[in-house]
Amino acid sequence: MGMHRFNPWRWAYSLSLIAAAGWFAGCSAGEQASGVGSDPTQGCEGRCADSPENLSVADVEQIVAQAVGEARALGVSGHIAVSDRVGNVLGVFSMTGSPATIRIATPGRDITAGLEGVNVIPAVASAITKANTAAYVSSEGNAFSTRVASQIIQEHFNPGEFDQPGGPLFGVQISQLPCSDLSARHQGVAASPGPHRSPLGMSADPGGFPLYRNGTVIGGVGVEVDGAYGLDTSVFDTDRDVDELVALAATFGFAAPLDRRADRITVEGKTLRFSDVSDADLLSMPATVNVADALSLGSFVLVRGYTDDTVRVRSGTAFGQPASGIRPASDAEFAARDAFMLVDAANQPRFAPRAGTGAGALSAAEVRAVMLNALDVANSARAQIRRPLSTPARVSIFVTDRNGDVLGAVRSRDAPIFGIDVALQKARTVNFFSGSDAASALTALPDVGYLVNGFNERPPVALGDYVAATRALLERPTALADGQIAFGARTIGNLARPFLPDGIVGAPPGPLSKPMGEWSVFSTGLQVDLVYNALVAHVAFLLGAIPNDVPQNCTGISRFSEGLQVDSPIAALPNGVQIFSGGVPIYRGNQLVGAIGISGDGIEQDDMIAFLGLHRAGEALGGAIGNAPVALRADQLVIDGQNPRYVQCPQAPFIDSDEENVCAGK
């Protein structure tokens, strides 16, 4: 077991005082919000961004003023954040009298594990996270809000429907983390290439909507008014959520196309929920708001690590252009597949195919083959959560080596931004758990000390306990240390659910999960515990309690007072782990040499693109690499008389073919 102890007593009280002092407070309208200034019915098929669109300073001020107008009409005060599509924070406005902090809690539950009960988080962090989430999960083919995120990440899908499996994006909230090595950080006055990090990962708290112009996503808006940061635990009623009302008013003139909104999209035969409020619920008239008057009710504020201290409002980047950090591929083979690449500030590819290191490492040619074949599968696959129907899946693709280092990354046109960080998490997760050093690495991590009401009121959690639980379930005393099990991302996801089998109320938790009573989307188990200390350290940085921000590795932080102390971080997991489908390890014969991760337009599609793309690459390379040998795959295990899933592919997934069972026998 890890012997380090995380002790927040030395700073928690001062952190609470700083928060209470409000450091961030200042250093019926009809069918109107649907789209004056834009066509509310216009949609695209991924190509609207070829004509650059971005938010200007005047746009940001207009969006904020519309939100302030509704807040004033409701008699409330709040924080409004606006970001561009790749997560640059363009402005954070705090109305006079806004709450200084939020409290993380699941409605109707009394949970003190994980992030639940932490009540010293700056409220502006919530607004930023909501804005980024709405922008990140939306595209020209789908418009999702933070309410949609709430619906698809809980222990049942739909929430409140017992004995149903967990949400299709179960665990996605623990991504885009502030400690991620992939996500960019604020760099100065001007917006910079993304994707950027979020203070609290991804949000499921209603009050975040995407912003559109001419059919393409140009950003997101997030609102925090009530100080309660949670989620909607039931889809059987409708809520009049004040955060959501204020955020909806903000979207006037920048609203999502009607035929792209989540309530026009089904997943597993169930309709998604875009919003519980409508334009008719608004008390203000966004079309007539006086911007200068509205902005006199507060000020644009500094948020450490996210905004500039000299320019509080700035314009955003145009997505799909070099300044956004994502542009069309210039390499001929990738360009022929309509691929996009991640680039740096000098417009140079960040992750061009390259060779790995170590025994049996992937060559640059092998990495390239995996990327190209995965793209081909994606381009022929039918997207699950995109309109119009029967358009290709749009995904992010990452290939890593045994060290977790990125060997190559590529994207389909218009793939959602959240999938960039998530695809890398998936690749690293299956690579880590399929190897022989997972047990020792987890056991060496510092313990986790949960904060409750600003203080450590629970015994610390040892990460090695998850290793012991996994070994007990699998009845393999050397599991996670012998390299004899190839785990798919779907397998890890099931082991990390609060019910095993998934969704069956009363079943025991998976070994990587918390049990019900301690489990929530803010307390998932190993996934949250791995990064908990880093997230709390980032909160301390936001509040000014410590001078230095978290490093770009989410593991290994043990304690901090004047600075940060990092003990035995896991180099292979610098952006944490992910616990839903879409990744498989890569083998050379019986030797694990890396992994591929996919995220984008449907979890079964993600599984298929990873598994089938790797299979086809192996065939093209004469069998030099491929999927794990069948005997090693996790679906050969027997748990309580059942075989866990390794991957699950769609029945008839291709647009131009009626082929079925495409993954069978491979």
Side-chain angles (χ1 to χ4, degrees):
M1 301 298 173
M3 298 302 294
H4 305 290
R5 289 289 182 265
F6 175 78
N7 187 352
W9 281 91
R10 299 175 61 182
W11 56 268
Y13 182 64
S14 60
L15 188 150
S16 300
L17 291 178
I18 292 169
W23 277 40
F24 292 89
C27 303
S28 154
E31 294 297 319
Q32 54 181 348
S34 292
V36 170
S38 66
D39 179 356
T41 64
Q42 179 180 352
C44 294
E45 297 184 22
R47 295 185 177 273
C48 280
D50 287 347
S51 299
E53 297 281 1
N54 71 298
L55 287 163
S56 67
V57 169
D59 290 334
V60 175
E61 292 176 339
Q62 180 74 32
I63 291 162
V64 168
Q66 292 170 176
V68 171
E70 181 65 16
R72 175 163 54 180
L74 291 166
V76 299
S77 296
H79 307 277
I80 303 103
V82 179
S83 65
D84 68 11
R85 188 173 177 181
V86 294
N88 284 290
V89 179
L90 307 183
V92 180
F93 188 87
S94 293
M95 297 177 66
T96 302
S98 298
T101 60
I102 58 170
R103 180 182 181 88
I104 295 180
T106 301
R109 300 183 190 177
D110 183 19
I111 296 173
T112 57
L115 296 167
E116 297 268 13
V118 179
N119 63 353
V120 293
I121 299 172
V124 289
S126 167
I128 292 171
T129 302
K130 292 182 187 184
N132 282 353
T133 299
Y136 282 1
V137 297
S138 300
S139 71
E140 293 180 15
N142 71 289
F144 284 3
S145 63
T146 52
R147 183 172 290 280
V148 180
S150 174
Q151 184 178 358
I152 59 181
I153 65 172
Q154 297 187 50
E155 70 270 31
H156 301 295
F157 182 66
N158 276 313
E161 294 182 5
F162 299 136
D163 294 329
Q164 294 296 315
L169 264 62
F170 183 94
V172 76
Q173 70 275 15
I174 311 301
S175 66
Q176 333 302 320
L177 300 175
C179 46
S180 169
D181 66 318
L182 173 70
S183 298
R185 301 189 177 194
H186 171 65
Q187 298 178 13
V189 174
S192 57
H196 286 260
R197 62 182 181 165
S198 278
L200 302 175
M202 297 272 279
S203 178
D205 191 34
F209 287 111
L211 301 169
Y212 281 75
R213 179 180 283 131
N214 296 326
T216 192
V217 189
I218 52 175
V221 60
V223 170
E224 183 56 57
V225 171
D226 60 16
Y229 189 81
L231 71 168
D232 186 359
T233 57
S234 175
V235 296
F236 299 116
D237 59 8
T238 56
D239 306 316
R240 186 177 171 83
D241 187 277
V242 65
D243 292 354
E244 196 166 49
L245 280 164
V246 175
L248 181 65
T251 68
F252 176 71
F254 303 90
L258 294 176
D259 66 350
R260 296 296 191 262
R261 296 185 189 181
D263 52 18
R264 304 294 180 91
I265 293 173
T266 60
V267 175
E268 298 176 9
K270 302 175 182 182
T271 303
L272 300 176
R273 296 277 286 274
F274 184 68
S275 176
D276 270 10
V277 296
S278 68
D279 302 344
D281 295 313
L282 300 180
L283 299 183
S284 64
M285 295 286 291
T288 63
V289 69
N290 182 300
V291 174
D293 176 58
L295 297 185
S296 71
L297 299 180
S299 62
F300 285 96
V301 299
L302 168 67
V303 182
R304 295 186 80 193
Y306 293 90
T307 63
D308 189 76
D309 59 359
T310 58
V311 177
R312 301 296 175 93
V313 187
R314 55 184 175 170
S315 58
T317 61
F319 183 72
Q321 309 301 311
S324 73
I326 298 168
R327 62 150 171 86
S330 51
D331 177 285
E333 285 191 290
F334 288 109
R337 291 164 169 82
D338 197 25
F340 281 61
M341 311 296 287
L342 276 71
V343 295
D344 60 21
N347 195 22
Q348 296 303 303
R350 290 177 62 185
F351 303 118
R354 67 181 181 90
T357 59
L362 292 164
S363 68
E366 289 170 336
V367 172
R368 186 182 187 86
V370 173
M371 294 165 64
L372 289 170
N373 278 275
L375 262 177
D376 286 341
V377 176
N379 285 338
S380 61
R382 184 181 296 105
Q384 182 177 354
I385 53 172
R386 178 176 291 268
R387 290 175 62 88
L389 300 177
S390 294
T391 55
R394 310 294 195 185
V395 298
S396 294
I397 301 167
F398 273 80
V399 178
T400 65
D401 67 7
R402 278 291 295 118
N403 302 317
D405 294 331
V406 180
L407 302 185
V410 67
R411 285 169 45 82
S412 306
R413 171 181 290 274
D414 193 45
I417 298 300
F418 84 88
I420 298 174
D421 188 61
V422 168
L424 180 56
Q425 285 182 319
K426 291 177 183 180
R428 285 172 166 169
T429 299
V430 298
N431 172 71
F432 176 74
F433 281 97
S434 299
S436 58
D437 51 5
S440 59
L442 290 173
T443 302
L445 285 177
D447 291 348
V448 180
Y450 296 144
L451 294 181
V452 182
N453 297 322
F455 295 95
N456 186 7
E457 296 182 357
R458 286 176 56 99
V461 175
L463 277 298
D465 290 347
Y466 291 105
V467 176
T470 301
R471 289 174 168 175
L473 176 72
L474 301 182
E475 299 181 342
R476 296 176 69 130
T478 59
L480 306 183
D482 56 17
Q484 294 303 301
I485 304 173
F487 289 97
R490 184 173 291 271
T491 320
I492 296 298
N494 277 278
L495 296 180
R497 305 289 171 114
F499 305 111
L500 188 66
D502 184 20
I504 304 302
V505 175
L512 304 181
S513 175
K514 295 289 188 188
M516 290 306 294
E518 294 186 44
W519 184 93
S520 78
V521 301
F522 309 110
S523 176
T524 59
L526 175 65
Q527 183 193 33
V528 168
D529 287 350
L530 272 175
V531 302
Y532 181 94
N533 290 351
L535 294 180
V536 173
H538 184 59
V539 169
F541 170 76
L542 290 176
L543 291 168
I546 58 174
N548 299 318
D549 203 348
V550 290
Q552 288 185 287
N553 189 315
C554 293
T555 65
I557 293 178
S558 60
R559 63 181 182 273
F560 49 89
S561 52
E562 295 304 315
L564 295 170
Q565 179 166 330
V566 182
D567 299 323
S568 305
I570 300 178
L573 296 176
N575 64 333
V577 300
Q578 196 46 253
I579 54 175
F580 69 97
S581 306
V584 294
I586 301 173
Y587 280 76
R588 190 182 304 284
N590 290 322
Q591 182 182 13
L592 175 66
V593 294
I596 177 174
I598 309 291
S599 190
D601 272 337
I603 58 171
E604 291 186 354
Q605 280 81 351
D606 291 351
D607 261 356
M608 178 188 69
I609 294 165
F611 182 83
L612 196 56
L614 175 56
H615 173 77
R616 291 182 179 179
E619 288 185 324
L621 294 166
I625 59 172
N627 281 293
V630 172
L632 293 182
R633 295 179 192 173
D635 57 9
Q636 301 302 299
L637 298 170
V638 178
I639 301 175
D640 293 332
Q642 305 275 333
N643 298 104
R645 293 290 180 91
Y646 185 64
V647 295
Q648 181 170 313
C649 298
Q651 187 70 16
F654 297 129
I655 297 171
D656 54 359
S657 167
D658 59 2
E659 182 182 1
E660 298 183 355
N661 299 320
V662 297
C663 297
K666 297 179 174 63

